[in-house]
């Protein structure tokens, strides 16, 4: 009986073993990722600033290509993405550490009208201010420095491509011939489309120029913001301004107001392909300071500017700065200092300064600014008189033109001394 019982148990065990393959489903086979899918994944990773992952996906793409047959993307498309990924990897090592204090969304058309510049930083106006017979690329602003003696804008060439142009006003009210700067249209040797130079803004030093360009071999994608310096009659090789200013979308214009210590740039990264742009208002650095890539785990988010509030120091308060009335240059109150103190943010009024020496200098600064504004207004009045035929004002015009540079230099010197005293 015991033997029969053991045999029954053995048969039952054998039966259960033979039934096992039929009771458990076979593991599904992994879906094969095609070379084209790998390439598209690399594009997405690059758009998200995941450049290391994009480089790995491109390597897998190359390994997955069939030995024979046509590749799913052209060699040119592959090279373009490979170069963009490599540029992105280099840019991630030098993401600038700036403080963004505000952002607004505005229609793309005439967005530059929302840049509130102090008169010392110049003005941005539409193309209607150009003399008769001169044109600007559609939607382009005309930059005029505080002196009012020159204009700079993007002018269409014979192909319709935007080229940065300058126009200088003579003492008799006439203009010199237009000077174009094709050296700013840095074309790649393989470029098939015209490379445009757009949205110029010249710093008050008359040497440093910011502008936008769509060069496929130097940009992250679309228009990027570049900077360069004047070298005599021409400009030097432009440099990509990098992140967070530039993105795979279009980044249009950067302007910095040294008097108030604030800057603006516009981008359609949040509205790509639409008619709306975002204007970011920020506090620029006197000297560029980059994030430490190895010690910043959220570097990609900061580079993309996912949250501009994440750029602000803990506890920072910019409410007084943001409470300024809307409008163009010249809307600031007479006691509106608007000076950026490193480590503290923007100081708006004299009373916010901690040092008695800084407060004394601030009062001198306000007087110096007022002198610049009144001198400039008088100079503009005299120029109009001269243009209408009153030649007797020529001597006073020359005198004020000689006086203005020293007045502007005094404003800059006092501002720097205030910052030094507060430190």
């Amino acid at each position: 009986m015991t033997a029969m019982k053991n045999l029954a148990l053995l048969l039952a065990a054998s039966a259960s073993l033979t039934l096992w393959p039929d009771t458990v489903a076979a593991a599904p086979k992994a879906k094969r990722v095609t070379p084209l899918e790998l390439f598209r994944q690399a594009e997405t990773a690059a758009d998200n600033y995941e450049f290391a992952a994009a480089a790995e996906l491109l390597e897998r793409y190359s390994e997955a290509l069939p030995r024979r047959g046509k590749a799913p993307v052209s060699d040119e498309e592959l090279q373009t993405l490979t170069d963009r990924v490599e540029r992105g990897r280099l840019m991630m090592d030098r993401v600038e550490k700036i403080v963004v204090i505000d952002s607004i969304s505005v229609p793309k058309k005439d967005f530059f009208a929302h840049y509130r510049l102090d008169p010392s930083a110049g003005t941005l106006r539409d193309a209607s201010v150009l003399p008769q017979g001169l044109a600007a690329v559609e939607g382009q602003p005309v930059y005029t420095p505080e002196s009012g003696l020159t204009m700079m804008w993007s002018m269409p060439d014979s192909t319709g491509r935007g080229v940065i142009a300058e126009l200088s006003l003579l003492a008799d009210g006439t203009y010199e011939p237009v000077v174009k700067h094709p050296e700013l249209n840095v074309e790649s040797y393989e470029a098939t489309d015209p490379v445009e130079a757009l949205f110029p803004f010249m710093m008050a030093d008359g040497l440093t120029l910011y502008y936008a360009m769509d060069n496929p071999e130097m940009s992250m994608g679309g228009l990027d913001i570049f900077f360069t310096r004047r070298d005599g009659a021409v400009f030097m090789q432009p440099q990509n301004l990098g992140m967070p200013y530039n993105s795979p979308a279009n980044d249009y214009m950067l302007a910095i107001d040294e008097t108030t210590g604030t800057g603006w740039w516009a981008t359609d990264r949040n509205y790509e392909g639409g008619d709306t742009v975002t204007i970011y208002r920020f506090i620029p650095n006197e000297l560029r300071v980059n994030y430490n890539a190895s010690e910043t785990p959220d570097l990609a988010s900061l580079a993309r500017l996912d949250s501009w509030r994440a750029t602000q120091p803990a506890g920072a308060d910019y409410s007084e700065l943001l409470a300024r009335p809307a409008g163009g240059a010249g809307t600031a109150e007479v006691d509106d200092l608007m000076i950026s103190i490193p480590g503290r943010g923007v100081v708006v009024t004299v009373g916010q300064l901690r040092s008695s020496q800084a407060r004394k200098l601030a009062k001198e600064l306000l007087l110096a600014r007022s002198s610049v504004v009144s001198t400039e207004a008088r100079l503009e009045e005299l120029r109009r008189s001269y243009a209408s035929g009153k030649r007797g004002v020529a001597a006073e015009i020359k005198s004020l033109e000689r006086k203005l540079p020293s007045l502007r230099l005094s404003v800059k010197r006092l501002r720097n001394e205030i910052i030094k005293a507060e430190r």
Side-chain angles (χ1 to χ4, degrees), residues 122-317:
T123 58
L124 297 170
R125 293 173 290 179
D126 62 35
S128 64
V129 301
L130 291 173
Q132 188 174 5
L134 295 179
V137 174
E138 185 178 359
Q140 290 294 298
V142 176
Y143 168 75
T144 304
E146 182 183 22
S147 68
L149 296 177
T150 61
M151 294 181 179
M152 180 174 280
W153 75 102
S154 183
M155 182 179 190
D157 65 6
S158 59
T159 68
R161 175 185 65 174
V163 179
I164 303 300
E166 284 185 284
L167 184 66
S168 297
L169 178 67
L170 298 173
D172 62 0
T174 62
Y175 292 95
E176 291 184 348
V178 173
V179 176
K180 297 180 181 179
H181 293 283
E183 72 274 13
L184 295 174
N185 300 69
V186 183
E187 299 186 22
S188 71
Y189 61 93
E190 292 181 345
T192 57
D193 297 320
V195 178
E196 291 200 289
L198 306 166
F199 299 108
F201 179 83
M202 179 71 75
M203 294 291 289
D205 60 10
L207 299 174
T208 307
L209 175 71
Y210 293 96
Y211 73 106
M213 182 169 59
D214 65 351
N215 191 312
E217 291 197 357
M218 300 175 69
S219 303
M220 289 185 65
L223 288 171
D224 271 20
I225 300 169
F226 289 78
F227 70 98
T228 181
R229 286 181 64 81
R230 192 188 293 275
D231 183 14
V234 299
F235 288 92
M236 294 187 288
Q237 175 80 14
Q239 302 294 318
N240 192 302
L241 194 56
M243 305 172 188
Y245 309 100
N246 292 321
S247 69
N250 291 305
D251 303 282
Y252 294 102
M253 185 174 200
L254 183 138
I256 293 177
D257 183 339
E258 291 183 291
T259 300
T260 63
T262 55
W264 292 259
W265 91 89
T267 173
D268 68 4
R269 68 186 68 184
N270 302 315
Y271 304 94
E272 196 168 356
D275 295 324
T276 303
V277 299
T278 300
I279 296 176
Y280 291 108
R281 190 174 180 186
F282 69 104
I283 300 176
N285 299 308
E286 293 188 14
L287 295 175
R288 184 173 180 123
V289 178
N290 296 330
Y291 287 101
N292 186 319
S294 62
E295 297 178 1
T296 311
D298 56 345
L299 183 62
S301 179
L302 291 166
R304 290 191 302 261
L305 210 60
D306 291 341
S307 170
W308 55 265
R309 289 182 175 84
T311 68
Q312 299 181 0
D317 182 8

Side-chain angles (χ1 to χ4, degrees), residues 332-338 347-352 362 366 369:
E333 295 296 329
V334 68
D335 64 342
D336 198 352
L337 277 179
M338 305 296 293
V347 171
V348 180
T349 64
V350 175
Q352 291 179 308
L366 292 173
R369 284 183 184 171

Side-chain angles (χ1 to χ4, degrees), residues 33 49 54 61 98 133 136 140 147 168 242 363 369:
V33 181
Y49 296 39
Y61 164 83
I98 61 172
Q140 290 294 298
S147 68
S168 297
K363 293 176 182 178
R369 284 183 184 171

